[in-house]
Amino acid sequence: MDSASKPQVRTLLLTDLVDSTQLVERIGDSAAAVLFRSHDRIVLELQQRWRGRLIDRSDGLLLIFERPIDGLGFALDYARSLRDLGRELGLKQALQARAGLHVGEVLQWENSRDAVALGAKPVEVEGLAKPLAARLMNLARPGQILLSATAEPLAHRAVRELGVRGDTLVWKSYGRWRFKGLPEAQEVFEVGEPGLAPLRMPAHTPKAWRDLPLWRRPVALAAEAMMAAGLAFGAWFLMHPQPAIAFAERDWVVVGDLRNLTGDTKLDESLEQAFRISLEQSHYVNVLSDLKVRETLANMQRKADVPVDRALGSEIALRDGARALLLPTVAEVGGRLRVSAEVIDPRTQTTVYAVMADGRGVESALGSIDQVTDQLRGKLGEALQSVQKTSVPLPNVATPSLEALKVFAVARNAANTTRDREQALGLYRRALQLDPQFALAHADMARLHAQLGEVEQARDEWRKALAIPARLSPQEKMSVELMLLQNSGPEIYFGKAQEYLTLYPDDFSIISRLATNLWHQRNDFRAAEAMVRRAIKPQYERSNSARYTLGIFLLGQDKFDAALVEFQHARQAGYTGGGEFYARAYDARGQHAEADKVYAASTSGRQGWQNDAAVSTWLDRQQWVPAREAAQAWYDRASANNDVLETLRAQAALASVGVFSADSGATRGLQSLLAAVDRQSEAVDAIYPPASTELRMYAGLLAAYRDDRAGVDAALRSTDGSVAVREFPTLAQLRQVLLAEQARLSGQPKAAVARLQPLAKQDTALVAVHWALLRAERSAGNAVGMQSQANWLATHRGRVLTEATTTEVLRFFNVAIRE
C-alpha cells in the first residue's frame, strides 16, 4: 500500500439505498440487475456533472468532492433520479436513499496494483470526517439529506450555483445532536426540495440522540456520553493533523465579498467592513486592501463592483501573491445569527478551513465577527497569546452601531472609487452623527484631506481621532500619531516611523511616506531609494506611484536612464499623475521639447505648465517673461483661494524672477516677500512650522546672489535661535550657506571655504552649498577648488532639478543659477 498523503479538507457524501435487500427479494434477481445497471449509469453521470470521485460502493455510496456545493448538488440530483427510476421501473414502493454530507480533513492514498488485483479498492479514504458523515447518513430518514454544521454554511453560501432550483430549497436546523464515539455535539441540518424530501426531525437511534439539557435526559445517558466524549477527544487529540495550507507570518489574504443570507441589507457593507477591520489588527496576517482588490479587478478588465467570489477571489490572490482567500458569510440558522468564514486555497479553490460563531439577533454580529477572525488567525498559525494581545473588540476599534458602520463603509467606497470629495466627507460626517466617538471616521477623513493637499483640515481630523484613543486599534493609533509628527523635527518623525515599521513591516503606505520624507527633509536620495523599493510589491495598491517616486530618487542621483525606465514603467502600468519629474529627466539632458510633451501627457500637465512647475521650467530655460507671468498667475490664484502657504511661495517665485532677470524692481520684490512673511508667519507656521524660517533665509540667499551684504545679515538676524534651524537639516545647511556668504562678503573667503567644505563632501549637501563654495573658492583665488564645484554643478543636473526643502522654494534658485 502506498503511503498516505498529507491531510486534506474534502467534502464527504455517504448514501445508503433504503431497504435494498428487501427490494431485491421482492422484484427478483433479473429485475434487480436491470435496476442496478440503471442506478450505476445515473451515479456515473452525476459523478461527472458534480466532479465527484467514487471511493466505495455496496448498498450505498462513498463519494468525495472538492466543494460542499458539489456534494449537495449530487445528493439532490441523486434523490430525484432515484424517484424517477423507481417510477420508470414501475416499483410500488418509492426508491429512496439516505444521505449524509460533511466537510473535514481526510487522508487519501492509492493502493498498489497488486492489492487492487486481490480485491482492494483503488483509493482509500480515512479520517474522523468519515465516521461523522456515516453517522449523519444513518440518522437520516428515507429520502433525507443531512448536513453537518461545517458543511451547511459552505453549501448555503454557494447555493446560487444551483441556479433557479437553489431558490426553492428548504434549509432546516434540527439542533445539536450527539453521536456515539464522537466527542462533541454537532448541529444537524436538512436540505431538500419540497415534495421530495421529508423535511422532518430525524428519529433518535442508539448511536445518535439530541443534545438535550441534563434535566431532560437520563443520568446514565449523560454519563455514557461524557465517557464516550473523553475517549473520542483523546483519540482526536493524538490524531489531530497539521494545517493543510502552508501559511506563514506576514503572508497575505484576500477577503471576498460577504455573503449575506439574512435578507437584512443593513448587514451588507457594514459586516464586510467590520470583518476587515477586525482581521487587520493582526501582526501575523496581512489583508489585501479593498482598493488593491478593485485595482486588480480593473487589470482583469472586470467591473469594480463585481462580487468577489471563490473563483474571482482565487484569481486575484494568485495575481497579487496572496496565500489564501477568505469568504465570510452571515446567515440565520435555527433562529440564531451565524457568522462564518471559509479559508480557500486559491490554487485549487478548495476549502481548507471553515470557522463560525453564533449569536442572537443582529446585535451579536460584531462579537461573532471577532470570534471568527480570532479563530481564523489561530487556524492560520498565529500564536494564541498574540491573538489575545492584539484583539480589541470591534465596538471599541470601530463602532457598536451597525448603521454608523454601514455609512462608514459606503464613505470609504466613495473615497476610494468615485473620488467624490464632498460625498465622502458628507458620509463620514453622517457616521459621526450616528456615533460621535467613531475615531476611525475622523482618521479616514484626515487621510482624504491629506491626499487632496488640505494639510490643516487633515491635521485637525487626526487630532480629533487621537482625542478618542480608546476607540482606535493600537496600529491605527500609532499611525495617526505618526501622521501628526510629519511636520515635527525629522529626527523625532524618523524615530517613530522606524518604531512603527518594526511592528508593521508591510504597511506600504507608511513605507512610501517615509521614503518621501527622507527626500523632502534630508535629500538623502540613496536612503529614500532603498526605502521606496520596499513598497514596490504586488500587494500595494499604489505600487505604480511608488515606482514613479523611485524614478525621482534615481533622477536625484543623476541616473537618468534608470529614472526614465521607472517613469515609463509607472506610466505604462496606468499611473498618469505626477508628470513633472518625468519631464525633468528630459530637461536635465536639455531635451526641453520632449519634456513638454511628457508633462502634457500627465494628469497635472493637461493645461500646460502651471504654478511652481511653470516657474521652475521658465527659470531653468532663462525665459524671464513667461516665468514672471506664471509666477503672477500662481500668486493671483493662491490669493483668491486664501491659501497662505501657496501665496507666500508664489511671492518667493516672483522675487526670484526679479533677482535672476536683474529686474530694476528686484529689491522691492524681496522687501515685499519679507513683509508678507512677517504678516503671515503665524498663520503659515501653523500649517508647516519651518515655513517662515525658510522663506526668510531664502530671501537672504537671493540677497547673497546680488552680493547684498545687508540682506544676508538681515536674514541671519531674523532666524537666529530658530528652533526650525535646529530641527530641520536642510534649514541648518541653508544657514551655513548664509554665514559663509556673510564671511565672503566681509572679505574672509577662506573662512567661508572652511565652513562649507565639510558640508560639500556629504551626499545630502544642498545645491546652494556647492554654489556658495564655488564663490568662496573663487574669491580665495583657488582655481582648482572653484573648477571642482563648477564641475559638480554642471554634472548634477538631476540633483539640481529634484532637490527638496521644506517649502520647495530653493528649486527656483537651483535651476536659475549659472555659476
Side-chain angles (χ1 to χ4, degrees):
M1 180 168 60
D2 294 340
S3 61
S5 65
K6 292 182 179 179
Q8 296 177 316
V9 175
R10 292 292 183 267
T11 299
L12 276 73
L13 175 67
L14 270 80
T15 71
D16 177 50
L17 203 58
V18 176
D19 296 334
S20 57
T21 303
Q22 293 89 326
L23 176 64
V24 172
E25 291 178 355
R26 191 168 62 251
I27 67 174
D29 290 342
S30 297
V34 172
L35 184 152
F36 285 114
R37 279 198 297 270
S38 298
H39 172 272
D40 292 347
R41 282 196 300 271
I42 290 170
V43 171
L44 180 60
E45 177 189 340
L46 294 180
Q47 270 184 260
Q48 295 171 343
R49 182 186 307 169
W50 295 105
R51 299 168 291 278
R53 184 170 188 180
L54 183 63
I55 303 301
D56 197 6
R57 62 153 298 167
S58 54
D59 290 346
L61 307 171
L62 169 58
L63 298 107
I64 194 166
F65 300 85
E66 293 288 333
R67 302 176 58 209
I69 193 62
D70 292 332
L72 179 59
F74 182 101
L76 291 166
D77 283 351
Y78 183 57
R80 183 177 288 276
S81 297
L82 286 179
R83 184 195 64 179
D84 294 344
L85 178 60
R87 290 175 177 175
E88 180 184 329
L89 297 177
L91 300 180
K92 295 181 180 180
Q93 187 173 345
L95 196 58
Q96 295 177 306
R98 300 180 176 89
L101 189 73
H102 178 53
V103 175
E105 289 183 326
V106 296
L107 295 168
Q108 296 184 72
W109 66 88
E110 294 186 4
N111 287 318
S112 66
R113 291 183 179 180
D114 292 341
V116 173
L118 292 172
K121 299 189 295 291
V123 178
E124 298 281 1
V125 172
E126 292 298 340
L128 290 176
K130 186 175 174 182
L132 180 52
R135 293 287 189 268
L136 287 168
M137 178 198 71
N138 289 326
L139 179 62
R141 294 178 179 275
Q144 193 167 45
I145 303 168
L146 296 183
L147 284 72
S148 69
T150 308
E152 187 273 341
L154 307 182
H156 208 155
R157 176 187 177 91
V159 72
R160 60 184 174 186
E161 297 181 30
L162 299 179
V164 176
R165 182 177 55 169
D167 296 333
T168 66
L169 293 179
V170 175
W171 302 73
K172 300 191 71 173
S173 170
Y174 295 127
R176 298 173 66 82
W177 288 67
R178 289 195 173 273
F179 296 100
K180 186 175 181 179
L182 295 179
E184 296 180 357
Q186 306 285 331
E187 189 169 3
V188 173
F189 298 84
E190 180 182 2
V191 182
E193 298 181 70
L196 186 60
L199 300 175
R200 292 171 53 205
M201 176 78 71
H204 287 222
T205 73
K207 294 184 178 181
W209 55 92
R210 289 193 68 191
D211 187 30
L212 300 174
L214 284 171
W215 60 270
R216 292 182 58 190
R217 51 193 165 114
V219 175
L221 184 59
E224 181 183 336
M226 291 177 64
M227 183 179 297
L231 292 172
F233 179 78
W236 175 85
F237 185 84
L238 293 172
M239 298 174 63
H240 181 57
Q242 294 300 309
I245 190 170
F247 199 91
E249 185 173 6
R250 295 173 55 196
D251 274 345
W252 292 80
V253 298
V254 174
V255 175
D257 284 5
L258 179 130
R259 175 85 165 144
N260 180 7
L261 303 175
T262 66
D264 186 346
T265 57
K266 181 173 63 177
L267 302 180
D268 288 342
E269 293 93 346
S270 57
L271 293 196
E272 186 172 318
Q273 194 64 240
F275 187 85
R276 282 182 168 278
I277 293 170
S278 182
L279 191 60
E280 283 169 352
Q281 294 184 68
S282 173
H283 291 193
Y284 184 88
V285 179
N286 281 321
V287 182
L288 209 67
S289 73
D290 182 65
L291 198 59
K292 177 59 184 175
V293 170
R294 302 304 159 189
E295 177 188 283
T296 303
L297 284 171
N299 293 336
M300 294 163 61
Q301 298 185 336
R302 305 294 292 269
K303 293 182 178 180
D305 58 353
V306 65
V308 178
D309 57 12
R310 181 183 298 262
L312 202 54
S314 294
E315 185 174 351
I316 291 168
L318 292 173
R319 282 172 174 257
D320 292 334
R323 182 74 68 179
L325 166 67
L326 308 183
L327 295 177
T329 300
V330 58
E332 286 186 284
V333 178
R336 297 171 70 85
L337 189 75
R338 169 166 297 170
V339 176
S340 61
E342 300 173 64
V343 178
I344 310 298
D345 183 341
R347 295 167 301 172
T348 61
Q349 296 188 25
T350 56
T351 299
V352 180
Y353 305 115
V355 296
M356 68 189 69
D358 288 347
R360 294 196 178 278
V362 294
E363 296 79 11
S364 69
L366 296 182
S368 293
I369 285 176
D370 279 332
Q371 292 180 48
V372 165
T373 56
D374 284 357
Q375 291 178 65
L376 284 174
R377 290 164 63 180
K379 288 280 190 181
L380 292 172
E382 187 171 355
L384 178 61
Q385 184 179 7
S386 174
V387 174
Q388 293 171 340
K389 183 178 179 181
T390 59
S391 292
V392 181
L394 267 171
N396 291 354
V397 298
T399 172
S401 167
L402 283 174
E403 188 176 354
L405 193 58
K406 180 181 177 66
V407 175
F408 174 81
V410 177
R412 272 196 167 176
N413 184 62
N416 291 335
T417 57
T418 66
R419 307 289 183 181
D420 187 326
R421 174 189 183 278
E422 294 307 317
Q423 180 192 18
L425 290 175
L427 288 165
Y428 283 127
R429 293 187 190 106
R430 174 57 182 157
L432 284 163
Q433 287 175 350
L434 293 167
D435 179 3
Q437 300 296 302
F438 199 167
L440 202 55
H442 285 300
D444 265 31
M445 290 174 74
R447 291 191 188 93
L448 181 57
H449 283 304
Q451 289 167 8
L452 297 171
E454 298 164 355
V455 180
E456 281 187 282
Q457 297 95 317
R459 191 177 300 142
D460 184 50
E461 292 300 332
W462 272 317
R463 285 172 179 153
K464 288 177 181 177
L466 207 56
I468 320 170
R471 292 288 297 276
L472 292 170
S473 70
Q475 180 178 6
E476 192 69 36
K477 180 175 179 290
M478 200 172 181
S479 173
V480 170
E481 291 172 342
L482 191 57
M483 293 302 102
L484 285 171
L485 284 174
Q486 284 187 107
N487 296 331
S488 301
E491 297 309 315
I492 298 174
Y493 170 77
F494 290 129
K496 187 72 172 180
Q498 291 296 349
E499 180 185 341
Y500 179 91
L501 290 176
T502 299
L503 295 173
Y504 309 102
D506 298 311
D507 189 333
F508 299 129
S509 63
I510 294 295
I511 290 170
S512 294
R513 191 175 297 276
L514 178 57
T516 299
N517 284 330
L518 284 167
W519 167 36
H520 283 166
Q521 297 183 3
R522 288 182 175 174
N523 284 298
D524 191 341
F525 287 96
R526 289 185 182 180
E529 176 195 347
M531 182 62 66
V532 82
R533 285 187 184 277
R534 290 172 55 183
I536 302 175
K537 303 292 183 184
Q539 296 87 10
Y540 183 35
E541 65 271 14
R542 293 187 174 89
S543 62
N544 294 330
S545 173
R547 191 172 289 281
Y548 183 90
T549 305
L550 172 60
I552 298 174
F553 301 156
L554 292 169
L555 180 59
Q557 297 173 72
D558 299 293
K559 299 176 180 178
F560 301 150
D561 291 340
L564 282 170
V565 167
E566 298 303 332
F567 290 139
Q568 290 161 2
H569 188 112
R571 183 66 59 82
Q572 290 165 3
Y575 180 72
T576 59
E580 180 183 356
F581 290 100
Y582 188 178
R584 298 298 180 219
Y586 289 105
D587 274 329
R589 291 173 160 173
Q591 297 173 275
H592 301 318
E594 189 64 28
D596 292 345
K597 179 181 176 182
V598 165
Y599 185 67
S602 69
T603 302
S604 54
R606 288 173 184 167
Q607 295 181 337
W609 295 102
Q610 299 285 319
N611 299 339
D612 55 342
V615 177
S616 295
T617 297
W618 305 128
L619 285 175
D620 180 46
R621 300 177 191 179
Q622 305 281 283
Q623 297 184 30
W624 312 124
V625 173
R628 185 176 294 106
E629 290 173 348
Q632 187 63 54
W634 178 21
Y635 176 82
D636 292 342
R637 280 191 293 270
S639 298
N641 292 329
N642 293 315
D643 190 326
V644 176
L645 180 58
E646 285 298 284
T647 301
L648 290 175
R649 292 181 67 232
Q651 203 152 358
L654 281 166
S656 301
V657 175
V659 167
F660 291 112
S661 66
D663 187 274
S664 59
T667 300
R668 287 195 307 275
L670 283 171
Q671 291 171 345
S672 177
L673 171 61
L674 287 170
V677 172
D678 288 340
R679 287 195 308 273
Q680 302 288 349
S681 60
E682 186 175 344
V684 75
D685 287 350
I687 300 171
Y688 198 8
S692 68
T693 299
E694 179 169 272
L695 288 166
R696 288 189 176 102
M697 288 202 290
Y698 182 67
L701 187 64
L702 291 175
Y705 183 85
R706 303 176 70 209
D707 291 331
D708 175 5
R709 164 73 187 273
V712 174
D713 291 346
L716 287 169
R717 281 196 307 272
S718 66
T719 57
D720 189 32
S722 168
V723 174
V725 172
R726 293 199 303 271
E727 292 185 343
F728 289 82
T730 55
L731 296 189
Q733 285 192 56
L734 189 52
R735 184 169 178 82
Q736 292 301 312
V737 169
L738 292 181
L739 288 168
E741 280 294 283
Q742 185 183 58
R744 182 185 69 81
L745 293 168
S746 300
Q748 303 174 56
K750 289 185 178 179
V753 169
R755 183 179 291 278
L756 294 173
Q757 274 184 337
L759 285 177
K761 293 177 182 178
Q762 300 174 15
D763 288 340
T764 57
L766 292 174
V767 171
V769 168
H770 293 279
W771 168 81
L773 182 54
L774 182 154
R775 286 158 67 94
E777 295 279 24
R778 181 169 58 201
S779 296
N782 184 355
V784 174
M786 181 185 73
Q787 189 58 48
S788 173
Q789 296 308 309
N791 289 340
W792 190 97
L793 290 169
T795 57
H796 287 75
R797 286 286 294 157
R799 174 59 181 269
V800 165
L801 290 162
T802 56
E803 182 177 87
T805 54
T806 54
T807 62
E808 308 291 10
V809 292
L810 255 69
R811 198 168 292 153
F812 306 140
F813 183 88
N814 291 354
V815 299
I817 56 176
R818 288 294 186 269
E819 294 186 63

